[in-house]
Amino acid sequence: MITLDEWNGRIDAFIEEENRSRGREVPVHRIYCQDDSDRSGGGLYNETVTIDTIGRFARAIGDSNPLYSDPGYPTAVQAPPLLECCICSTFIGGRLPRLRGISVYDAGTRWERFAPIRPGDSFTAKTVFLGIEEITKEKTKEITREGVKEITKPGRAARLLIRSHEISLYNQRGELVSRLTARSVIRCAAPAADPDRSAGQAEGTAEIKAVNKAEETSGRPRYSREQLEEVYANLDAQFDGLFRRGSRPRFWEDVKIGDELPEQVVGPYDESDGQSLMAAIGAANAFATKWGSIRSRRKHGLVDPETGALRHPIDRHISDTVAKAQGMPRAIVSGIHSQALLAKSAGDWMGDAGFLVCLDCRCRKPLYYGDLSFQRGRVTAKEERGERFFVRLYLEAVRQDGVIHTEAEALVELPSRMKQEQK
C-alpha cells in the first residue's frame, strides 16, 4: 500500500507536470465526430444556433420569456444568458493523478458575453489550459533561522485541486462573443480513507460517501401539501411573467444598493428537469456511440449494480441507481443547470433592455434529485463607465435545508433614463 508521503509526492509531481503545459491551446472537437481525435479541449455541441436551440434551452430553464421564442415579439429573438453551454462543453477533461480516490466535479464557470447571440449565428472555439491550483492545504508553523513562520502542507484527509480552462467563442464574422473560464475541482482522497477498496470500484466512491454522509437520506425528500402549494404558486408566477421585467426597461437610476430580486423556486427536481437540459445541450450519446466513449473503461469503469452492465458516468445526473454506485445519496443535478437558474433570475430582473455582461459562478454543494432550489439575489453596487451604466448583483441558490449550493456575482448593464432623455 502507498504511504502518505508517497501519495503526496505523486500529487505534487502531477501538479508540477500539468502546469508545464499552462497556456497551451488544446484541441476542441466536434461532438458528432466519431473518431479517435484528442478530446481534451472539450467539444462543440451546437456550432450553429437556431431559434429551436434557443427555445429548447429556454424551456430547459423554465423561462417563458417571449424574447427567446416569439419571432413576432417587438424585440428580435435572442439567446438567454448561458446559452453558451449549448454551444460548447464547459466540463473539460484532462489527465488525472494515477491514484485511487480521485473524483472530479464542476466547480463553476465565469461567463462573459460581449455581444448578443441570435438565431443563425455559428461559432468556433479556442480553448487554452490555464493550469492547476491547489486550494486546500493545512497550515502549520515552523521554526526557521528567520523566526517562526507559517507554512502550508498537504492535508491528510484530502487535497483539492482546481483545473481551469479559458474558452473563447467566435461568431461567423470572427467577433469574440463570449469568454468562459471553466473550472473543475479534482478531489484527491488520502490512501487512509479506504485502504481496502478494490481497483474495480468506481473512482471516488469511498471518499464521496464520506463527504455526503451527513446528506444521506433513505430517499428523496417528502414535502407537505402546504409546501408544495407554495412552490406551485411561485411556479405559476414565473410562468405568467409576474417576476419578469420584460419589455419595460429597468433604468439604472431607479436601482438602489440593497434592492432584492424576487425569490424564485424550482423543484422538486426530477427526471424531466434533468433530461430537458440534456436534450437542449445535446451532450448525451446512445448505444454504439455511447459504447465508443466508455469501452476504454471496461476494466475499471462504473458498473450498474442491477444489470451488471457498464454505465456512462454522466448517468449520475439522471439515475439514482448510478449515483449511488458512485457513492452519492441520489442523482446529482448538473452544475450547469444550477448556474443557468441564477442567470434566469438575473435576466427576469434586468429586463429585455438589460445585458448580463458577466456571471461568475461557484458550485459549493450538490443539488440532488428531489430537492427544491430557491434563487435569491440583491444589488451590491452601482457604477458608471463613461456612457455605460452597470450594477453588481450577488446571487445564491439555496436548498430546502438552507444550504447554499451555488452562488455567483453578476455584472449587469442597464439603460439610463438620463441618457435616453438626452437623445
Side-chain angles (χ1 to χ4, degrees), residues 144-342:
T144 68
R145 292 181 179 178
E146 292 77 24
V148 178
K149 68 176 182 179
E150 192 176 67
I151 63 170
T152 59
K153 67 176 183 178
R156 301 185 72 85
R159 295 174 66 174
L160 298 181
L161 317 177
I162 292 286
R163 184 200 305 275
S164 301
H165 291 81
E166 182 181 271
I167 308 165
S168 301
L169 292 176
Y170 299 87
N171 65 15
Q172 67 274 20
R173 294 179 293 277
E175 300 164 337
L176 175 63
V177 173
S178 300
R179 181 187 296 122
L180 316 178
T181 305
R183 301 177 288 243
S184 56
V185 60
I186 305 171
R187 187 174 189 277
C188 310
D194 188 8
D196 298 323
R197 184 159 59 93
S198 68
Q201 285 183 279
E203 290 179 345
T205 299
E207 57 276 7
I208 298 172
K209 280 184 177 178
V211 170
N212 294 328
K213 186 175 182 181
E215 299 172 346
E216 288 185 12
T217 65
S218 57
R220 300 186 185 185
R222 180 78 180 182
Y223 302 97
S224 69
R225 177 49 54 186
E226 291 75 18
Q227 288 175 305
L228 291 174
E229 287 301 330
E230 290 181 5
V231 172
Y232 299 155
N234 192 283
L235 290 169
D236 279 338
Q238 291 180 52
F239 186 77
D240 295 338
L242 300 186
F243 299 145
R244 187 167 65 237
R245 191 73 178 184
S247 59
R248 295 176 295 117
R250 182 178 294 280
F251 290 109
W252 182 83
E253 289 85 354
D254 298 334
V255 175
K256 297 179 178 62
I257 296 175
D259 284 354
E260 294 188 353
L261 280 62
E263 181 180 83
Q264 299 191 23
V265 58
V266 298
Y269 198 99
D270 62 23
E271 282 76 5
S272 64
D273 299 315
Q275 290 169 0
S276 68
L277 183 70
M278 292 293 181
I281 292 177
N285 287 291
F287 309 124
T289 55
K290 177 186 69 176
W291 175 246
S293 66
I294 62 174
R295 61 184 177 182
S296 62
R297 310 178 189 185
R298 193 166 186 172
K299 291 184 179 179
H300 304 292
L302 177 65
V303 174
D304 190 308
E306 296 178 345
T307 66
L310 200 62
R311 294 289 295 264
H312 196 290
I314 200 173
D315 289 350
R316 68 180 178 178
H317 297 307
I318 299 172
S319 164
D320 285 348
T321 298
V322 173
K324 288 177 179 177
Q326 291 183 291
M328 301 169 192
R330 52 190 186 276
I332 185 172
V333 175
S334 167
I336 291 293
H337 221 168
S338 295
Q339 296 172 65
L341 290 171
L342 287 178

